[in-house]
Amino acid sequence: MYFRQVHLDFHTSEKIEEIGSRFQKEAFQRALKAGHVESVTLFSKCHHGWSYHPTEANEMHPHLSFDLFGEQIRAAQEIGVNVVGYLSAGLDEKFAVRHPECLARRRDESILRTADFTTAGYHLLCMNSPYLGILADQVREMCQGYPVSGVFLDIVKPTKCYCRNCVALMEAEGLDPENEAHVALMAEKTYAKYAKTMRAAVDSVDPSLTVFHNGGGTPRGRRDLMAMNSHIEIESLPTGGWGYDNLPLTARYVQPMDMDFLGMTGKFHLSWGEFGGYKHPNALIFETALAVANGGKCSVGDQLHPDGQMDEETYRIIGEAYRRIEEREPWLEGVRGVADIGLLSYSAWLASHPEEQAGDAERRLSDVGALRILLEGKYLFDVLDCESEFENYKLLILPDNVKIDGGMKRKLDRYVAAGGKLLASGRSGLLLDEYGQVGNFAYDLGVTHRGDMPMKPVYLSVEDKLEGIRPAGYVIYAQTQRAELTREGSALAALHEPYFARTAKHFCSHFHAPEKKEFAGVGVSEGKHGIYLASAMFREYAAVGSRISKQAVTAAIDRLLGENKTVTVELPAQGIVTLMEQGALERSVLHLLYAPRGSKGTEKLEIIEDAIPLYGVEVALKTRERAVARVYSAPEGENLAYTVDEKGVLRFSVPKVLLHAMVAIEWKKEEKLP
């Protein structure tokens, strides 16, 4: 895997002539050098279905007169740039038009992605059709004919399909096409067959080649799908629909698995397919820094003009970011993230519990709210699924609706027996029996569950037991649970209801009724095994960004972690901190990032433009009984003054953070503090 990659899109219509007519080897090389690029993904076949080289397994673009793919490869490898070969897998518009019988279809036989052939757009092909063998031939031909290091296959994921091929196959295997679960099972089987076929095609030429199947995201909780890849490429263009939450959320899930991954952003102002769009260089510096700060590598998406001429401005912008990455690579190699907290992803939990029904927003909001609170609180965390090991975390967070079945309970029993703590919210922490029935809390969180609160919103009445929160009655819009304190439990905050729900006969003022200042249940409780928040606070924070939801969660986290928080640092809310260990070098690397984001346009895109410096950022870091040899800024190598107190806390000040700062802490080998 390479730190500095470019994904060079080239989806080119047959209606455009003179393809590659302005391609020049020297200009192509000059652009890659200006961009500090060390690996590039080049197109063998695009979404339109055309190949960009002579082919027997497909057809070359009708307006291409030479082997563009081959010339690009030779130009790149001549200057030491690695090449990955791209083939559009799920989309091939030329084939789709000629063979509509091979298209994936819904139950009503409508086609996927684009509604018809009178609308601009591509149409998804079914891998249970003859197209699968044709695609395998194209992959095999590219690998045989060109010295690529790997294969990138695009627009592929398990997809429910009711085409005649899938229906016939389901019936042949004893599955019922009218049963939604059986259709979903066939989608999984079809995808597995596709991935196995592609791997076999590659292996027939060279088993050492990498293969990545891109479906637009890395689904948490689907390790089986991840294992079909040689590595993971996290497609995450912030202005292209992914936002700035997706990369850290996915990276913190993949990184603990010791699987190579890269964060893929783009040079575009908006997203893929945008010609003439350029994001601010500061945005690209921040986005590539965010990838490496989370233990990954980088890929930047670009799109080549049909005439084959590279855009100089694009590679100037990419070069600004990649020059910085190149300088920092000695401190980015062979890292492993440090985490105090394990966040058990709700979307990952749902992947292990397909019987649970949840809409797309519900799947996303709890994880996103938890991510934002943890990032803004400057906590070190990993994102976990039901297969993760819990023992290495001081605290596990179960956000909003993560219920506990028998298998998870056995793991959590070991975790809490060893002193691990839980933070649960909403319906999380409730025991789920073998019949799918929900019972009481599986662990001592200080309360007994009594069902849903009938009123929405409710008020969280805080007095003086949650540190950092001033006494008041705070409105909470998310669904809240009714909880009754146990004899051993402690109430940290109470719930109050409004006077009445807002109806045509009962309403007050513009929004909702005020707080009726009477006890209606426990809002925050503490028991032997952790703390419980009765409201779905993580969803609340993602949905409305209320300050109290973040304050309640961070107060609970700080109470449970106590003095065990590894890093404490003062950064603005949008600042990010990560800590990586380079074990082989006896070195820790602290990453500090800060870039203010503004909301622009009718789509309210998150845009980074300004690089605002922060000065004198104070850091406190637990040494874990290791003796400090040196603290310095990387890559500058400037020593930083530091102290270590009697509790083994290392303190130093970072002189300046401009988008991204790195501090290296070198430890004395095999030496312990007295």
Side-chain angles (χ1 to χ4, degrees):
M1 285 278 289
Y2 296 85
F3 274 100
R4 293 167 277 119
Q5 304 190 45
V6 160
H7 186 98
L8 190 57
D9 258 15
F10 197 57
H11 301 295
T12 307
S13 168
E14 64 279 3
K15 304 295 184 183
I16 298 177
E17 299 183 355
E18 297 183 337
I19 303 304
S21 60
R22 298 184 69 181
F23 172 81
Q24 292 182 336
K25 181 181 76 170
E26 294 78 11
F28 187 78
Q29 293 173 331
R30 190 164 56 248
L32 294 178
K33 289 177 180 178
H36 292 254
V37 177
E38 57 179 347
S39 181
V40 61
T41 300
L42 298 172
F43 270 43
S44 168
K45 186 190 83 167
C46 73
H47 288 345
H48 290 275
W50 303 109
S51 292
Y52 295 95
H53 54 79
T55 173
E56 294 182 2
N58 191 22
E59 296 174 46
M60 193 163 79
H61 193 290
H63 301 296
L64 176 64
S65 61
F66 68 103
D67 185 353
L68 176 60
F69 184 57
E71 290 299 316
Q72 289 174 319
I73 291 175
R74 280 186 282 276
Q77 293 182 340
E78 194 174 284
I79 59 171
V81 174
N82 177 71
V83 174
V84 174
Y86 173 103
L87 293 103
S88 180
L91 304 178
D92 184 321
E93 195 62 11
K94 168 174 59 64
F95 189 87
V97 169
R98 296 175 183 177
H99 298 280
E101 72 278 6
C102 294
L103 292 173
R105 297 184 181 272
R106 299 184 182 89
R107 185 186 292 270
D108 64 2
E109 295 196 10
S110 62
I111 50 184
L112 302 182
R113 289 188 70 96
T114 304
D116 51 51
F117 287 101
T118 66
T119 304
Y122 305 110
H123 301 83
L124 190 69
L125 289 155
C126 177
M127 295 298 176
N128 269 332
S129 74
Y131 173 70
L132 178 64
I134 293 169
L135 177 63
D137 289 341
Q138 293 169 354
V139 169
R140 191 178 299 106
E141 179 186 64
M142 183 195 71
C143 294
Q144 286 174 339
Y146 296 94
V148 296
S149 68
V151 180
F152 186 109
L153 293 159
D154 206 4
I155 318 296
V156 277
K157 62 182 178 180
T159 302
K160 294 177 184 176
C161 180
Y162 293 85
C163 76
R164 64 181 185 180
N165 295 312
C166 287
V167 169
L169 194 55
M170 280 187 269
E171 290 174 342
E173 295 189 10
L175 300 176
D176 182 3
E178 296 184 9
N179 185 318
E180 189 80 4
H182 287 191
V183 178
L185 176 60
M186 178 52 63
E188 298 289 342
K189 291 165 68 73
T190 301
Y191 184 78
K193 178 180 72 174
Y194 147 80
K196 184 177 180 180
T197 302
M198 295 304 108
R199 186 70 251 185
V202 173
D203 288 351
S204 69
V205 180
D206 185 352
S208 71
L209 299 184
T210 62
V211 177
F212 176 68
H213 308 279
N214 186 47
T218 303
R220 293 182 291 283
R222 293 303 308 271
R223 295 192 181 204
D224 56 334
L225 298 183
M226 293 173 64
M228 296 175 186
N229 300 291
S230 307
H231 62 283
I232 298 297
E233 303 198 20
I234 304 172
E235 187 178 2
S236 190
L237 283 63
T239 53
W242 287 266
Y244 278 98
D245 296 317
N246 182 67
L247 179 60
L249 185 59
T250 308
R252 295 315 306 163
Y253 175 60
V254 177
Q255 204 272 338
M257 298 182 190
D258 290 329
M259 193 171 191
D260 266 346
F261 74 95
L262 56 84
M264 178 189 286
T265 183
K267 71 93 178 183
F268 315 103
H269 171 65
L270 290 176
S271 192
W272 296 110
E274 180 186 48
F275 288 103
Y278 304 92
K279 70 175 32 162
H280 196 288
N282 287 337
L284 202 55
I285 290 170
F286 178 83
E287 290 157 19
T288 53
L290 186 61
V292 299
N294 282 286
K297 298 175 175 64
C298 309
S299 176
V300 177
D302 179 27
Q303 182 164 225
L304 184 65
H305 191 279
D307 66 13
Q309 185 175 32
M310 299 280 266
D311 183 75
E312 292 184 7
E313 177 62 10
T314 290
Y315 289 87
R316 183 190 70 80
I317 294 172
I318 292 174
E320 288 190 43
Y322 274 176
R323 174 183 56 78
R324 294 169 58 90
I325 298 299
E326 186 174 14
E327 293 170 348
R328 288 158 174 75
E329 284 172 14
W331 294 271
L332 306 176
E333 293 275 10
V335 299
R336 184 168 181 82
V338 177
D340 297 328
I341 298 169
L343 168 63
L344 187 53
S345 160
Y346 178 50
S347 62
W349 183 86
L350 283 169
S352 298
H353 298 82
E355 71 282 358
E356 291 276 332
Q357 299 298 312
D360 290 341
E362 187 178 354
R363 289 173 179 272
R364 184 176 58 86
L365 285 178
S366 295
D367 285 357
V368 167
L371 170 82
R372 291 177 182 173
I373 291 173
L374 291 170
L375 288 178
E376 292 171 19
K378 312 301 176 281
Y379 299 103
L380 304 181
F381 65 97
D382 287 335
V383 178
L384 311 180
D385 61 23
C386 296
E387 296 181 49
S388 299
E389 296 300 326
F390 302 151
E391 282 70 21
N392 293 329
Y393 303 98
K394 302 158 191 170
L395 171 64
L396 287 182
I397 294 178
L398 283 58
D400 297 344
N401 207 11
V402 177
K403 296 178 281 292
I404 299 173
D405 61 16
M408 186 182 294
K409 189 172 188 307
R410 286 188 288 274
K411 295 177 69 172
L412 287 173
D413 283 347
R414 296 192 296 271
Y415 175 75
V416 298
K421 295 295 183 180
L422 304 174
L423 172 58
S425 61
R427 295 189 181 95
S428 285
L430 296 174
L431 195 60
L432 194 66
D433 70 19
E434 59 184 311
Y435 304 105
Q437 300 300 308
V438 178
N440 213 324
F441 290 107
Y443 297 97
D444 181 359
L445 301 175
V447 284
T448 300
H449 186 240
R450 298 300 186 210
D452 290 352
M453 291 278 286
M455 290 280 203
K456 279 201 302 185
V458 297
Y459 294 87
L460 184 70
S461 178
V462 178
E463 294 181 354
D464 59 359
K465 295 182 180 179
L466 289 176
E467 188 173 346
I469 306 178
R470 296 180 65 83
Y474 298 90
V475 66
I476 303 293
Y477 298 100
Q479 179 63 57
T480 298
Q481 303 300 298
R482 192 182 296 280
E484 181 180 303
L485 200 66
T486 63
R487 183 174 298 180
E488 297 80 13
S490 299
L492 304 179
L495 291 173
H496 294 167
E497 291 181 323
Y499 280 91
F500 41 72
R502 188 176 179 88
T503 68
K505 293 183 178 181
H506 300 85
F507 68 91
C508 179
S509 189
H510 299 293
F511 205 10
H512 50 74
E515 172 188 13
K516 189 176 183 180
K517 297 180 180 179
E518 297 177 359
F519 180 80
V522 179
V524 183
S525 66
E526 186 171 25
K528 177 181 177 182
H529 298 131
I531 291 178
Y532 173 69
L533 306 167
S535 302
M537 288 297 198
F538 299 101
R539 182 185 177 91
E540 175 89 348
Y541 195 61
V544 300
S546 63
R547 184 166 174 247
I548 184 58
S549 53
K550 179 167 72 170
Q551 285 181 307
V553 171
T554 56
I557 291 174
D558 291 343
R559 189 178 180 97
L560 291 170
L561 283 182
E563 295 184 352
N564 289 320
K565 188 178 181 183
T566 297
V567 174
T568 302
V569 58
E570 291 297 326
L571 284 174
Q574 291 185 341
I576 294 173
V577 59
T578 67
L579 181 65
M580 295 289 153
E581 294 281 358
Q582 287 183 300
L585 299 174
E586 297 284 346
R587 182 163 69 195
S588 301
V589 182
L590 182 76
H591 295 262
L592 304 175
L593 299 95
Y594 176 63
R597 303 195 289 272
S599 178
K600 294 195 176 185
T602 57
E603 299 298 319
K604 299 189 182 300
L605 298 175
E606 285 188 294
I607 300 293
I608 290 174
E609 290 182 326
D610 299 322
I612 298 177
L614 305 174
Y615 296 100
V617 177
E618 300 294 329
V619 177
L621 186 149
K622 295 276 187 180
T623 61
R624 308 296 178 210
E625 298 185 341
R626 293 178 293 183
V628 179
R630 185 188 176 200
V631 179
Y632 63 96
S633 61
E636 297 83 4
E638 297 177 5
N639 289 332
L640 303 182
Y642 66 88
T643 63
V644 180
D645 66 19
E646 67 281 358
K647 293 184 178 180
V649 177
L650 168 66
R651 299 181 189 276
F652 56 88
S653 178
V654 182
K656 183 179 179 180
V657 177
L658 185 64
L659 294 175
H660 178 214
M662 288 168 40
V663 176
I665 302 100
E666 294 186 349
W667 308 100
K668 293 180 180 178
K669 294 182 179 180
E670 300 181 358
E671 186 174 340
K672 304 288 185 179
L673 289 175

